[in-house]
Amino acid sequence: MERPLRIGVLAVQGNFREHASVLRRLGAEPVEVRLPEQLDGIDGLIIPGGESTAIARLMRLYGLDDAVREFGGPIFGTCAGMIVLDRDHLGLGDYGTRRNAFGRQVHSFEADLDVGDGGEPLRAVFIRAPWLEDPGTDLEVLAEVDGHPVLAREGRLLVAAFHPELTDDTRVHERFLSIVREETARVGLMERARAKTTALPASGAGNVRA
């Protein structure tokens, strides 16, 4: 039986429970991440919403900023997590962000998004939400609000300007888990190929006589 995916959720501001609940519904195992060593053995990482300045400060305090930069697995950033991943912070995503782009807390809103999967619109909750700016050429925009990108993928990164953990629609988390499975399979193939190459005898070794 295939083991469940182990997905870390950055919990330096305590934002763990809602994402963990969604992950469990989808058959994944959530892992609380507060220290660098807790990144070991996980298949993917979620950096949830909160206050981006506080998250970045706490990550530096606990040494998580460099640890996350070195983490090679897929990462999903939501709201403030999207900001933390941008080129002006951790530098893992080739895009900029505008903080509080839609307004302050009192301007929080919900919107129906076309996420391009052929299904019903996805109801998204925006709370002091940013939007993406100046995206790099490898960033794929998956959804927009008033022409502003709010959901995007860049390689192993998935970023959302909203809070997908606050609704019953699990499609964004499902998309992230699909990325994790893709990356896990790709890495597995590479490791098997390296192991096979290492196991091959050197050229002509089988023809050497005593």
Side-chain angles (χ1 to χ4, degrees), residues 38-156:
Q38 292 169 325
L39 292 170
D40 295 341
I42 64 172
D43 301 301
L45 176 67
I46 296 176
I47 303 180
E51 209 292 310
S52 59
T53 302
I55 293 172
R57 178 178 61 81
L58 290 168
M59 289 181 72
R60 287 193 299 272
L61 179 65
Y62 296 126
L64 277 163
D65 51 351
D66 287 336
V68 171
R69 287 190 184 100
E70 294 169 2
F71 176 69
I75 304 177
F76 178 23
T78 65
C79 198
M82 183 177 87
I83 297 172
V84 170
L85 290 169
D86 74 12
R87 64 169 68 98
D88 295 320
H89 293 83
L90 290 181
L92 293 176
D94 187 14
Y95 60 86
T97 50
R98 179 176 295 186
R99 296 180 59 192
N100 301 323
F102 294 101
R104 306 295 296 179
Q105 187 86 14
V106 295
H107 301 114
S108 300
F109 66 97
E110 296 184 14
D112 290 327
L113 304 182
D114 178 2
V115 293
D117 62 358
E120 294 293 321
L122 183 141
R123 192 69 172 172
V125 178
F126 292 83
I127 303 173
R128 296 178 58 195
W131 65 48
L132 284 161
E133 292 187 321
D134 189 24
T137 55
D138 293 331
L139 188 134
E140 177 188 5
V141 175
L142 303 172
E144 298 181 340
V145 170
D146 297 333
H148 302 292
V150 295
L151 179 66
R153 176 180 178 179
E154 183 184 0
R156 64 187 177 96

Side-chain angles (χ1 to χ4, degrees), residues 186-204:
R186 185 186 68 82
V187 171
L189 286 171
M190 290 174 61
E191 290 178 347
R192 286 194 291 272
R194 282 197 296 267
K196 185 176 180 180
T197 301
T198 302
L200 289 174
S203 177

